[in-house]
Amino acid sequence: MNTIKSMLSNKRLMRYLIMAIIIVIIELITFQIIYLINNNYYLATVISFVVGVLLNWIVGRMFVFGPSTHHPAREFIMVLIASLVGVSIQVLVVTVAVNALSLYPIIGKILSIAFSFFWNYWFRAKFIYKK
């Protein structure tokens, strides 16, 4: 209970969550459009993730974390590295959801976003925007 309470009182995490929800909606719309066009959930996962990463870095820097102590190019590379791990997590989760669990791809995408959300927040807070 205290862990949940402390998470809810973390203003930066709450701003990140709100930002992530908005970006996830954009990412899901992108995913579904790409999937409907070519019926390839791998491609849809990667393209929608790229859109999400770019928005996440820009909006996260502006409204959640602020600039880091790193040079902006280095900061972006670090976010990119975290995001590449995140996309790997997403592809793995979507693959398992579709192939092993027989779920519709958008359900796998939603699950994959949840996993990568926590990974990305933790990595950014610990290594990129550590105060």
Side-chain angles (χ1 to χ4, degrees):
M1 185 68 170
N2 284 337
T3 303
I4 293 171
K5 190 174 183 179
S6 68
M7 285 177 66
L8 292 175
S9 67
N10 183 333
K11 291 179 183 171
R12 189 164 72 167
L13 179 61
M14 289 294 96
R15 285 193 310 265
Y16 191 76
L17 178 62
I18 291 165
M19 176 200 75
I21 289 169
I22 294 166
I23 292 172
V24 161
I25 291 168
I26 294 167
E27 191 174 338
L28 289 173
I29 291 168
T30 304
F31 176 88
Q32 193 62 25
I33 290 169
I34 302 289
Y35 181 71
L36 290 174
I37 290 170
N38 66 21
N39 205 30
N40 182 330
Y41 60 84
Y42 290 114
L43 182 64
T45 298
V46 173
I47 290 174
S48 64
F49 188 77
V50 168
V51 168
V53 167
L54 290 173
L55 290 173
N56 196 303
W57 180 66
I58 293 166
V59 177
R61 190 172 205 269
M62 291 172 57
F63 298 110
V64 179
F65 298 105
S68 72
T69 58
H70 306 287
H71 185 276
R74 180 181 171 98
E75 177 186 328
F76 179 76
I77 289 170
M78 292 173 78
V79 169
L80 183 60
I81 290 168
S83 298
L84 289 173
V85 173
V87 78
S88 299
I89 291 168
Q90 284 201 12
V91 170
L92 176 66
V93 171
V94 170
T95 300
V96 169
V98 171
N99 295 331
L101 303 176
S102 299
L103 298 174
Y104 187 71
I106 196 75
I107 302 299
K109 179 64 177 174
I110 292 168
L111 293 171
S112 74
I113 289 168
F115 281 97
S116 66
F117 168 83
F118 287 107
W119 156 256
N120 277 299
Y121 179 80
W122 174 80
F123 187 85
R124 290 173 83 167
K126 275 286 198 214
F127 298 105
I128 301 172
Y129 301 102
K130 188 168 106 177
K131 300 281 182 194

